[in-house]
């Protein structure tokens, strides 16, 4: 059985921080008509390889809840590579009415 992992207050604080991250770091224009909460990352892949790129988060909309994780192996910057993939997929999902 899975119970509540964090308090409502903690969950709201994290969502607010992730939303502000989208607004100030990635730009809300990349994710039109969405209340997006997200974080990117870049993981080293060895001295001779480009780093892995990741972007994870959720759409903060009770009527259209979507959570996502995008990983691009050897993609470079998380916000550039994986964030661009996430933007395309989330836009397509929004246009399809999810």
């Amino acid at each position: 059985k899975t119970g509540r992992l964090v308090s409502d207050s903690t969950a709201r604080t994290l969502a607010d921080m992730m939303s502000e991250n989208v607004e100030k770091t990635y730009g809300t224009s990349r994710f039109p008509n969405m209340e997006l909460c997200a974080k990117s990352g870049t993981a080293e892949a060895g001295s001779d390889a480009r780093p892995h790129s990741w972007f994870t988060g959720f759409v903060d909309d009770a009527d259209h809840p979507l959570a996502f994780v995008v990983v691009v192996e050897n993609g470079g910057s998380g916000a550039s590579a994986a964030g661009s993939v996430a933007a395309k997929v989330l836009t397509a999902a929004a246009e399809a009415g999810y």
Side-chain angles (χ1 to χ4, degrees), residues 22-34:
V22 170
E23 181 182 331
K24 292 185 177 181
T25 305
Y26 315 125
T28 55
S29 63
R30 290 179 69 184
F31 309 95
N33 304 315
M34 286 178 233

Side-chain angles (χ1 to χ4, degrees), residues 4 6-20 35-37 58-62:
R4 178 169 292 280
V6 297
S7 70
D8 288 342
S9 173
T10 298
R12 185 74 260 153
T13 298
L14 287 171
D16 290 345
M17 291 168 65
M18 291 172 74
S19 176
E20 186 174 321
E35 293 296 323
L36 191 71
C37 301
F58 61 95
V59 177
D60 194 8
D61 180 345

Side-chain angles (χ1 to χ4, degrees), residues 46-98:
S47 61
D48 295 334
R50 290 185 65 190
H52 302 312
S53 163
W54 61 268
F55 194 76
T56 187
F58 61 95
V59 177
D60 194 8
D61 180 345
D63 294 328
H64 302 96
L66 294 173
F68 62 91
V69 176
V70 176
V71 177
V72 179
E73 290 183 356
N74 306 113
S77 167
S80 295
S84 294
V85 172
K88 289 177 185 175
V89 171
L90 291 169
T91 298
E95 289 172 356
Y98 288 98

